[in-house]
Amino acid sequence: GAGVSQTPSNKVTEKGKYVELRCDPISGHTALYWYRQSLGQGPEFLIYFQGTGAADDSGLPNDRFFAVRPEGSVSTLKIQRTERGDSAVYLCASSTPGGEQFFGPGTRLTVL
Amino acid sequence: AQSVTQLGSHVSVSEGALVLLRCNYSSSVPPYLFWYVQYPNQGLQLLLKYTSAATLVKGINGFEAEFKKSETSFHLTKPSAHMSDAAEYFCAVSVFGSARQLTFGSGTQLTVLP
């Protein structure tokens, strides 16, 4: 079946702009995760959804970052007033409760 | 809080040689431990996981890892490297089980020499 998909695959924006990154999880997966992977580093946890609600958003770096999952499926990560330090690959993963996390290919965000 | 340290950001081995990638963890409670592989422009793929059952865990593609509580280690091994094993490998820990957030190490880039 289809895996986790993320769009766009690449996003280039200017400092100060607003961006949205989309994640389509595997059908039937109720848990969804966002991670950020900076160059030369491992992924860092941002936020975890169980269904429509954010069960743990402790990894969001500041209030410029926000994520939603209004219908318990697709999720959007929103970044306001982007900064150069936001440049990274943003990874999405989904799972069944207690199950293995399946990762998407990521969105590479570049802030100029 | 939990953390993971991967010793060696780059490891090179000859084709057919033993692969050993090191991972040490820190956790205040019994951990769940994972190894993921990342090929260029692809998502992370789970190689194997330790969830408090057998301490020697076998995964895909001939990889295995041994949980050693006394050493707080979870090193990844493969007896004979293939060219196709060249990729980046990440060790990760979770204290809630795989349904919660993973804390990753910084990764080890494996190069396989012909």
Side-chain angles (χ1 to χ4, degrees):
Chain A
V4 177
S5 63
Q6 294 186 245
T7 54
S9 56
N10 282 283
K11 176 69 177 179
V12 179
T13 191
E14 294 179 343
K15 179 184 173 186
K17 299 290 188 182
Y18 168 83
V19 297
E20 290 188 351
L21 311 179
R22 176 186 168 108
C23 172
D24 281 88
I26 293 172
S27 177
H29 281 191
T30 57
L32 185 145
Y33 311 77
W34 284 98
Y35 294 84
R36 178 170 70 174
Q37 186 175 16
S38 299
L39 191 63
Q41 300 297 318
E44 294 177 292
F45 169 77
L46 295 176
I47 187 169
Y48 155 60
F49 288 89
Q50 180 57 49
T52 60
D56 183 351
D57 64 357
S58 62
L60 294 177
N62 51 59
D63 61 5
R64 295 188 298 106
F65 288 75
F66 189 71
V68 296
R69 194 184 186 201
E71 298 179 357
S73 178
V74 170
S75 176
T76 304
L77 179 65
K78 308 181 180 192
I79 310 174
Q80 299 177 319
R81 306 183 303 280
T82 52
E83 300 177 356
R84 292 194 180 87
D86 298 335
S87 296
V89 176
Y90 289 82
L91 298 170
C92 176
S94 70
S95 77
T96 57
E100 172 190 344
Q101 292 186 32
F102 290 85
F103 283 80
T107 294
R108 182 175 300 277
L109 175 66
T110 302
V111 182
L112 301 177
Chain B
Q2 62 276 9
S3 66
V4 171
T5 301
Q6 290 185 242
L7 296 175
S9 58
H10 291 83
V11 170
S12 294
V13 299
S14 297
E15 191 174 19
L18 171 72
V19 176
L20 171 60
L21 305 182
R22 299 179 185 275
C23 172
N24 288 89
Y25 69 91
S26 173
S27 175
S28 57
V29 298
Y32 293 88
L33 294 160
F34 308 82
W35 276 99
Y36 283 84
V37 61
Q38 187 175 36
Y39 297 100
N41 300 316
Q42 294 188 28
L44 292 157
Q45 180 182 5
L46 181 67
L47 278 177
L48 50 80
K49 62 182 178 183
Y50 166 76
T51 57
S52 76
T55 57
L56 181 62
V57 181
K58 295 187 183 297
I60 62 172
N61 301 338
F63 285 93
E64 63 181 37
E66 186 172 7
F67 172 70
K68 291 187 176 180
K69 183 178 179 180
S70 61
E71 298 178 8
T72 60
S73 69
F74 191 57
H75 302 330
L76 181 70
T77 60
K78 182 174 180 177
S80 176
H82 295 166
M83 298 297 289
S84 60
D85 295 328
E88 187 146 27
Y89 292 79
F90 293 94
C91 183
V93 63
S94 169
V95 295
F96 302 105
S98 59
R100 299 292 185 96
Q101 61 168 290
L102 296 167
T103 299
F104 286 87
S106 56
T108 297
Q109 181 68 46
L110 176 66
T111 300
V112 181
L113 305 171

